[in-house]
Amino acid sequence: GLLWVARRRALARLSAGLGLLLLFAASNAGLAGRLVRSLESTYPPVPDLVAGAPLPPALAGVGLVAVLGGGHDETPGRSANQRLSRNAQARLAEGVRLARVLPDAWLITLGPGGARMPEVTHAAVLAEAARALGFPAERIVQLPDVRD
């Protein structure tokens, strides 16, 4: 019985040590940067585009720009832009920028309702904010029934 307890204690220490090492590795910016670098080199960022200028060949046929959910505040009385989280604001700004220079592109907003107000979907808040930024409502499609 005593040998079994000693083995379990050693296994518990080893598991805790490996867990801490994994946590440290996952939160290390240098390691995370190296892991993401391969994806970033495979999918280069979209360059600055000017409305009316010729599009790069890789973007010429793009017809959809998707803005993934990033969270919003459910406080009533605030504008859609104010209710969006910082991540959602950045995603929406980039999506609107791209969709404006792609003449035939639709802006797709995604995201379900929140916990307190499930009837107000994240897709609807993103679409409302895009309209407030001057993006035409007829080029916005909302997809609220998505899952993470």
Side-chain angles (χ1 to χ4, degrees):
L2 193 55
L3 182 61
W4 175 250
V5 171
R7 283 186 184 166
R8 293 197 76 184
R9 187 176 300 146
L11 181 61
R13 286 182 181 157
L14 177 65
S15 295
L18 288 174
L20 286 173
L21 183 65
L22 181 63
L23 179 64
F24 174 75
S27 62
N28 183 307
L31 179 62
R34 279 189 226 118
L35 292 173
V36 171
R37 195 170 297 131
S38 66
L39 285 175
E40 288 178 343
S41 64
T42 303
Y43 304 102
V46 176
D48 264 343
L49 302 171
V50 179
L55 294 171
L59 295 177
V62 172
L64 302 173
V65 176
V67 179
L68 304 179
H72 70 274
D73 183 338
E74 296 177 338
T75 305
R78 296 174 72 191
S79 73
N81 285 333
Q82 292 173 333
R83 292 193 330 249
L84 291 175
S85 70
R86 286 185 184 176
N87 286 338
Q89 287 174 345
R91 291 174 181 182
L92 181 64
E94 183 66 6
V96 167
R97 179 186 79 85
L98 291 172
R100 278 188 176 144
V101 297
L102 299 167
D104 299 323
W106 291 78
L107 184 70
I108 312 297
T109 60
L110 298 106
R116 288 189 345 203
M117 298 174 66
E119 68 279 0
V120 179
T121 67
H122 190 60
V125 175
L126 285 168
E128 184 181 341
R131 286 189 301 273
L133 292 172
F135 195 79
E138 61 274 6
R139 289 180 52 203
I140 300 174
V141 175
Q142 298 176 39
L143 297 178
D145 298 324
V146 295
R147 291 189 279 168
D148 287 341

